[in-house]
Amino acid sequence: MEVNEKIAIDHGLKKEEFKKICDLLKRTPNITELGIFSAMWNEHCSYKSSRKHLKNLHTEGKKVIQGPGENAGVIDIGDDDAIVFKIESHNHPSFIEPYQGAATGVGGIMRDVFTMGARPIANLNSIHFGSPQHKKTKNLLRGVVKGIGGYGNCIGVPTIAGQTSFDESYNGNILVNAMTLGLVNKKKIFYSKAAGIDKPVIYVGSKTGRDGIHGASMASAIFDDKIEEKKPTVQVGDPFTEKLLLEACLELMADNSIIAIQDMGAAGLTSSSVEMASKGKLGIELDLSKVPCREEKMTPYEIMLSESQERMLIVLENGKEKSAKKIFDKWNLDFAVIGKTTNTKKIEINFNKKKVADIPLDLLSENAPMYDRKWKKNKLPQKIKFKKENFKSLKLGDCLKKLLMHPNICDKQWIWEQYDHTVMGDTIQKPGGDAGVVRVHGTEKAIAASVDSSALYCHAHPLTGGKQVVCESWRNLISVGAEPIAITNCLNFGNPEKEENMGEFVECVQGITEASKYLDYPVVSGNVSFYNETKDKGIKPTPSIGGVGLIKNYKKMISMELKKEGNLILVIGKTEGHLEQTIFAREILSEKKGPPPEINLFNEKNNGLTISKLIKDNLIESCHDISLGGILIAASKMCIKSTKGIKINNLKNLINKFEYFFSEDQGRYLVEINKDNFKKVEKVFIDNSVHFDELGVVNNDKFLFSDEINLSIEDLIKAYKDWLKKYMVN
């Protein structure tokens, strides 16, 4: 096939990009070379619209071993232990084929982690769907959840936490973000940088098929009515093979045979070979006729672009081929020597004794496009003045029950009960709390992890929203007694060629950077997902933040369940009564305008560190951060978790009660303390200039406030737990 401009455009390249390729090569590329360029120059692999801004992220910290640029980030948790973790998107495939799209998203992120020598110990996810009334939402939700559970459960890694939301902006483009944590000895971390000349390049895992071709390029595609035609671009996963691959790779890693290792993820053999050689400033020569294929007459183009799952590329020490093959034979996996490292700084590809591609590697990496796209600054919306008449007919109890039933607040047990969250036997806080927690096996340490996003805040004002989602992650880890260490991010946005969308991205990144730097909570890995739109309608900006923290002694872990009748409940942090962009304003007052809650980074840090000190001193019985829905929602969840109640005090100097109970002011927590410790706790708060209110007292079975709320725990449970179950059954 003779390559021309039209064929290049069909591959997702711009007209000017194709011209640049021809100029750099000083010739027209053949079809295999064009396929390689299209894969390496798309958004997913080259980050051509985002690289300029991602460079500004805060990525360094005392406990950071590896920041962005590798398969995953790595942090030090002491005693030569390290945690490897990353979050990544699989949005487009999951919308086209929800089961396989979600399943292979989980498989892909786990390979990123164990590629670095780590055994996966926990999975998390952040999944976002269209309006519950939309005709596709229910089936997409069902398929995605089955895909996540099907893959993770089969490979035997617990899913310990997650987040689910519904919004009409996802009607035509759902989001599926998967996160994995792995445990590794920090002296035995493996990297993807190739080294040495004439070192054997090894293909291991499953055979290569035609599934997933152009999967990476599809990440830069905009959907239309012909979306069903893209199903062949969705990869097909096999978790049982992945389990074998995991064990085989870890066994080989123990043998000190590996120089470099890379998962064949997006863009398959193309990206893995190019990235390994480029990082090592070497060349690589491949013989595609030696690649194990499961389909007949596959072309070099197809072999290089296939995204068949459960495959790895390895650079071995010379003379280690036989012993390595023995390991993979034992695990019934394909093993083939398909090439070698060279000093040419080129990728040279042969097939049936003919050279089919010859490209200098710097053309694929250093010379990949980097755009400084135009972007539009977002103004902070004007505040809304709510009038007394807005609240006149409202009853606190009715409002509370209605919000507990809301799809974005209600219990997600229907989802997480389909995931195995106890396999491996180290999960000590299951889904449904502020963060999932797993023990580091055989030690007193535990790892806490959460995943958060806030599209509504980011849509209203991206700079503030970017800060908020980092702070929310920080609070979730603080709430379980963990020291927050680092984050990974998955940045989901619309078309970057539109100034409004690019502005949302730039300012969200600025907000994330500002908050993570102030909190000493660096970004160590991540992913950007652009072009999340269908028929010119994009999603709300949705940065997902995966946070990881350390609990030095798992016996110090805190949960949100109320512990004892007579204990005091305190609100930590000042309540100003901010209602704009809250779920209360949207669902009860039908008001969608206004700014998101202000972020005060000093208060966030100061409040969080003060609570951490109290937890270490055994002065806090339970804790829950105040976020979506405000104080009453947070208090209700604590009651539901423990089947205990709270009697709320007749609070002095109360601002408008609806503003107090349903505002989403940031930097706040609910904590339960023993009344005998009140003076000690009070002193700590005063000494650290932390504002607190005495909210109420734990009781046995009622949720009470004056004569306005009188609800049994059964009433709260019914409101909170019924919606999703009924929705999925009907």
Side-chain angles (χ1 to χ4, degrees), residues 582-619:
T582 65
I583 196 163
F584 176 85
R586 289 175 164 269
E587 299 302 320
I588 307 297
L589 303 179
S590 300
E591 178 57 74
K592 297 181 180 181
K593 295 179 180 177
E598 183 183 346
I599 305 297
N600 184 315
L601 291 173
F602 174 83
N603 286 344
E604 286 283 0
K605 191 171 186 175
N606 190 45
N607 294 355
L609 293 179
T610 304
I611 286 175
S612 287
K613 177 178 170 29
L614 290 169
I615 291 172
K616 286 173 186 172
D617 293 340
N618 300 317
L619 292 172

Side-chain angles (χ1 to χ4, degrees), residues 35 209 211 262 359 367:
D211 52 316
Q262 179 76 37
I359 307 172
N367 282 283

